[in-house]
Amino acid sequence: DAKTTQPNSMESNEEEPVHLPCNHSTISGTDYIHWYRQLPSQGPEYVIHGLTSNVNNRMASLAIAEDRKSSTLILHRATLRDAAVYYCILGTDYNTDKLIFGTGTRLQVFP
Amino acid sequence: DTGVSQDPRHKITKRGQNVTFRCDPISEHNRLYWYRQTLGQGPEFLTYFQNEAQLEKSRLLSDRFSAERPKGSFSTLEIQRTEQGDSAMYLCASRLQGVSNNEQFFGPGTRLTVL
């Protein structure tokens, strides 16, 4: 399984943008990049996913490097509720069944 | 609330006892997943079902673990002869195969403590 590397922790102030990086230098051509987050005392929740092009949804944006060896999850205006562990996960194909979570990035948001 | 429920939310048991957890997925979801999460780590995949068929089991799922989804709806995860190393959060997730974004919906988890 292709591996991802994320910083252990990051900090942000409320209402500022947050850029969460993920390195995946061994990504294969068919791997999708998925992001999930886990709020305290909850199960993970889906954030966004993409293959090659940048993606936007109501929660976040995903910027994918041209060589696909890295990506960045962008929270445009962090809120206190965004404090969570963010996981970058590679999917083996379009229908990813076995999500391989790493240790993720713990995001702290300060008021 | 994602619509996936798990019961119980917390379970404390003594080493050597058997425990069973239940997961109720979102009703139309045909795929159901079990993960285990220990403190400070991300969730680890255990097994998943397509309707009632168990399609894949992780090597983490020892002989003491068994999962079922008898009617393709709810699922149970049983751990026999529990050990202290089984203490973890057990997460269930479900999804509808074929939906474009492939999102798995997770329940709140069952936290198991083995004394």
Side-chain angles (χ1 to χ4, degrees), chain B residues 5 8 13 33 38 43 47 53 55-57 70 74-75 93 102 106-107 114:
Chain B
S5 61
T13 191
Y33 308 82
T38 54
T47 188
L55 295 188
E56 184 173 350
K57 292 195 294 185
F74 73 91
S75 176
N102 197 38
F106 282 81
V114 181

Side-chain angles (χ1 to χ4, degrees), chain A residues 1 5 9 13 23 25-26 30-31 36 52 56 62 65 75 83 90:
Chain A
D1 296 317
T5 304
S9 62
N13 293 319
N23 288 318
S25 58
T26 59
T30 56
D31 280 339
Y36 279 73
T52 55
N56 300 295
L62 176 60
L75 307 179
L90 300 184

Side-chain angles (χ1 to χ4, degrees), chain A residues 50-102:
Chain A
L51 183 61
T52 55
S53 303
N54 294 345
V55 184
N56 300 295
N57 66 20
R58 63 174 179 80
M59 289 181 70
S61 295
L62 176 60
I64 301 172
E66 197 169 332
D67 64 6
R68 300 209 327 123
K69 293 185 177 181
S70 65
S71 60
T72 302
L73 180 70
I74 302 167
L75 307 179
H76 295 285
R77 290 183 64 193
T79 68
L80 296 179
R81 194 191 174 278
D82 291 322
V85 179
Y86 287 78
Y87 297 99
C88 170
I89 301 166
L90 300 184
T92 53
D93 57 30
Y94 185 70
N95 280 305
T96 297
D97 285 301
K98 186 169 68 175
L99 296 177
I100 307 295
F101 291 82

Side-chain angles (χ1 to χ4, degrees), chain A residues 36 38 44 46 94 96-97, chain B residues 31 33 37 95 100 102 104:
Chain A
Y36 279 73
Q38 188 170 20
Y46 168 86
Y94 185 70
T96 297
D97 285 301
Chain B
R31 295 213 168 175
Y33 308 82
Q37 184 173 26
R95 76 175 180 95
S100 62
N102 197 38
Q104 291 188 21

Side-chain angles (χ1 to χ4, degrees), chain B residues 19-106:
Chain B
V19 294
T20 300
F21 310 140
R22 176 179 170 124
C23 171
D24 285 90
I26 294 171
S27 59
E28 65 268 26
H29 284 186
N30 51 3
R31 295 213 168 175
L32 186 147
Y33 308 82
W34 285 99
Y35 293 83
R36 180 174 70 185
Q37 184 173 26
T38 54
L39 203 60
Q41 302 298 313
E44 297 171 296
F45 169 81
L46 292 178
T47 188
Y48 85 98
F49 292 83
Q50 164 83 10
N51 298 317
E52 64 275 9
Q54 189 171 18
L55 295 188
E56 184 173 350
K57 292 195 294 185
S58 163
R59 286 170 294 179
L60 294 174
L61 216 62
S62 76
D63 292 344
R64 297 184 298 105
F65 288 71
S66 63
E68 293 182 341
R69 194 182 183 198
K71 297 182 180 179
S73 56
F74 73 91
S75 176
T76 58
L77 178 68
E78 181 183 16
I79 309 174
Q80 296 184 325
R81 305 181 302 282
T82 53
E83 302 173 355
Q84 288 185 325
D86 298 331
S87 295
M89 176 75 81
Y90 290 84
L91 293 160
C92 173
S94 70
R95 76 175 180 95
L96 181 62
Q97 184 192 8
V99 173
S100 62
N101 73 355
N102 197 38
E103 176 182 354
Q104 291 188 21
F105 294 81
F106 282 81

